[in-house]
Amino acid sequence: MSFNSIPEDLCAADDRLCIAREYNQAVIIVPTLLLLGSAVILVTLCFMRCRTQQRTRSHPTLQRGIDAPAGINPLEHEELPMSVKHQNVRPTLTAAPRASTEQYPRVYSQVKALPLSFSIKADNMVTLYRACVDNRNVVLRVLKETANHNERQHFLGFASFLSGLGPHPFLPNLLGMISVEPPLMMVMEDLQHQDLLGYLWKCRQDGSLESSHDMTEKRIFIMATQVASALEYLHSQECIHGNVGARSVLIGGDLTAKLWGFGSAYRRTQPISLSAREPTQLRKWQAPEVLSMRAFSHSSDVWSFGILLYEMVTLGDPPFAKVFVTELLQYLQRGKHLKRPASCSHALYSLIRSCCHWSPQHRLSMTELIQKLRAGERSANDRRVLRVPEPLDFEKYMREAGYGETYNYAVL
């Protein structure tokens, strides 16, 4: 029976009222019900989509694209040791003003724990992850969700401190801050080779890095000029780094050097740390006036910069390797100084000595230092690759660098 035919056994051919009554369900009711059902399904789907988007905006850890590999515990924490002095820094709950994660898609992919290096140590407050956002590699510094009020304030205060330093081509970029909901998160620029000390150790043996990444005297001058430029900028901001060394310099994929290591100096700006001592392991990088318990100054950074040059030309040897930390101040008081490494040119060694002068007044200013570095770069050897044939003895390095030794403030 066709749809337009009239069933002869139900209605007469001319009885239109009967025909409308018989086909009412098929012609009117069924399509209406189908239309209403489709509308209900569409509204339900729209509601569920809105709820999902709201949750991803409120909870960064639920964002689409976070794909941490199995075994990563977000409550396991590492933190880069950092150190810079800045005045009038106040913790804040607002996002970092220099940049915001709103500028980037809130989708982090390829999330994995940042590999440990010598300059990364265990910490129970912050976890470091490498991730990718908007086709850009970043480092996520994630505060544990169980952090107490003081830890939250420290984390937010440090983010505010970094933001307050302002942008500079040779300081790592703070890309943004997520502080609306826990876990609090800082999004930092990722530098491929991590710390300079580890990079120097990789340069020690043939074939450890690509030939384009070999360390030459010219590259030392280039990297050192970049670090000095960052230091000069910090000093212009009334900041004193206080922790200059290869461990506190990060190296990008293009071998750009960026000064890092701001944590301990930030802690020194807080009331609880006004009388806190610097870690013992930093003593061999500190100027004589700091060893004798006097205040840090711009000249103290210049001294440490000279030690950094020594580390670079020796591919990561510790300074004053044969001197105990407890005897270092007396050693310097007797007029002793860093010995010239065999691979160090006279021009570079002269620069090290000018930075590591006993008297702060006789050390180079940052302006003079940068001028000499640029002049040295123009005449530096770019062909002879620095090598250290013997493998690194880590335990020996720890011992010679003075890790774990006690303080001694005796002045002869």
Side-chain angles (χ1 to χ4, degrees):
M1 180 177 64
S2 67
F3 180 79
N4 294 323
S5 65
I6 301 174
E8 297 178 357
D9 57 340
L10 294 178
C11 301
D14 59 348
D15 190 349
R16 296 187 179 279
L17 180 61
C18 176
I19 293 172
R21 183 175 64 251
E22 290 300 326
Y23 288 95
N24 179 61
Q25 180 177 0
V27 176
I28 301 175
I29 298 177
V30 172
T32 302
L33 291 177
L34 291 175
L35 182 62
L36 289 175
S38 299
V40 170
I41 293 173
L42 183 61
V43 170
T44 302
L45 290 175
C46 291
F47 176 76
M48 293 175 64
R49 182 178 177 83
C50 292
R51 287 292 302 275
T52 302
Q53 291 178 346
Q54 182 178 6
R55 290 181 64 195
T56 57
R57 285 195 300 268
S58 301
H59 301 279
T61 56
L62 298 179
Q63 294 173 31
R64 178 171 53 85
I66 292 187
D67 187 24
I72 289 184
N73 181 355
L75 297 182
E76 293 176 355
H77 308 280
E78 305 100 15
E79 182 180 11
L80 284 170
M82 301 166 288
S83 246
V84 165
K85 190 170 181 177
H86 194 272
Q87 302 296 328
N88 301 323
V89 176
R90 296 178 179 273
T92 177
L93 294 176
T94 60
R98 178 149 53 98
S100 171
T101 50
E102 296 292 343
Q103 299 173 4
Y104 302 91
R106 289 189 163 194
V107 179
Y108 299 108
S109 60
Q110 304 175 26
V111 179
K112 58 184 179 181
L114 190 66
L116 288 174
S117 74
F118 176 73
S119 294
I120 300 179
K121 60 182 180 180
D123 183 78
N124 63 357
M125 189 176 76
V126 175
T127 304
L128 296 180
Y129 293 109
R130 264 198 173 121
C132 183
V133 55
D134 195 23
N135 295 321
R136 179 176 186 175
N137 293 328
V138 298
V139 170
L140 307 179
R141 303 186 79 254
V142 184
L143 181 69
K144 65 179 182 181
E145 294 192 51
T146 56
N148 58 37
H149 176 75
N150 289 336
E151 290 170 333
R152 284 172 55 87
Q153 289 299 106
H154 176 87
F155 187 86
L156 293 167
F158 182 62
S160 177
F161 175 78
L162 292 178
S163 178
L165 294 177
H168 189 274
F170 303 123
L171 293 178
N173 292 324
L174 173 62
L175 302 177
M177 176 75 187
I178 298 176
S179 58
V180 178
E181 291 283 345
L184 303 182
M185 183 186 303
M186 273 185 264
V187 184
M188 305 291 300
E189 171 188 15
D190 182 26
L191 289 110
Q192 179 181 335
H193 295 297
Q194 295 187 260
D195 62 280
L196 174 59
L197 183 58
Y199 179 83
L200 292 171
W201 288 345
K202 290 178 183 177
C203 290
R204 280 176 167 254
Q205 298 179 357
D206 291 334
S208 59
L209 291 175
E210 300 177 12
S211 58
S212 61
H213 293 174
D214 286 332
M215 185 63 70
T216 64
E217 185 184 77
K218 188 178 185 71
R219 192 174 296 283
I220 289 176
F221 276 102
I222 293 172
M223 288 183 172
T225 302
Q226 294 168 345
V227 175
S229 176
L231 266 180
E232 183 183 45
Y233 172 76
L234 293 176
H235 291 176
S236 72
Q237 301 293 310
E238 299 302 323
C239 299
I240 299 174
H241 191 278
N243 185 30
V244 177
R247 65 186 172 276
S248 299
V249 176
L250 302 180
I251 304 299
D254 60 354
L255 300 188
T256 297
K258 298 196 176 188
L259 184 60
W260 187 234
F262 302 125
S264 62
Y266 164 67
R267 287 191 291 270
R268 288 198 301 271
T269 68
Q270 307 305 298
I272 192 172
S273 62
L274 290 178
S275 60
R277 294 176 175 177
E278 285 296 309
T280 313
Q281 61 264 30
L282 305 180
R283 306 302 286 175
K284 286 198 172 183
W285 281 257
Q286 292 177 345
E289 63 271 17
V290 178
L291 292 175
S292 58
M293 292 295 288
R294 296 197 291 274
F296 285 92
S297 66
H298 295 172
S299 294
S300 304
D301 278 345
V302 173
W303 172 284
S304 300
F305 185 88
I307 304 297
L308 169 63
L309 292 177
Y310 178 88
E311 290 183 278
M312 295 174 74
V313 76
T314 60
L315 298 184
D317 275 353
F320 305 106
K322 305 303 181 183
V323 183
F324 290 110
V325 167
T326 54
E327 301 172 356
L328 180 57
L329 182 57
Q330 294 91 331
Y331 179 85
L332 296 173
Q333 285 175 321
R334 297 187 183 104
K336 304 293 185 178
H337 45 73
L338 284 167
K339 300 294 187 295
R340 175 174 167 260
S343 58
C344 185
S345 68
H346 289 285
L348 185 55
Y349 183 62
S350 175
L351 196 54
I352 293 173
R353 289 292 307 274
S354 297
C355 291
C356 297
H357 198 284
W358 170 270
S359 172
Q361 293 78 16
H362 293 148
R363 295 171 201 158
L364 296 173
S365 68
M366 289 308 305
T367 301
E368 293 170 333
L369 178 57
I370 292 174
Q371 289 175 348
K372 288 183 177 293
L373 286 169
R374 288 174 176 164
E377 178 187 339
R378 290 191 291 269
S379 59
N381 189 321
D382 194 29
R383 296 182 179 179
R384 187 171 66 88
V385 176
L386 302 179
R387 295 294 182 197
V388 177
E390 61 270 14
L392 175 72
D393 185 334
F394 186 73
E395 291 185 359
K396 179 182 178 184
Y397 176 87
M398 293 286 286
R399 182 173 61 255
E400 293 182 345
Y403 280 74
E405 294 190 41
T406 59
Y407 287 84
N408 185 340
Y409 301 109
V411 179
L412 299 181

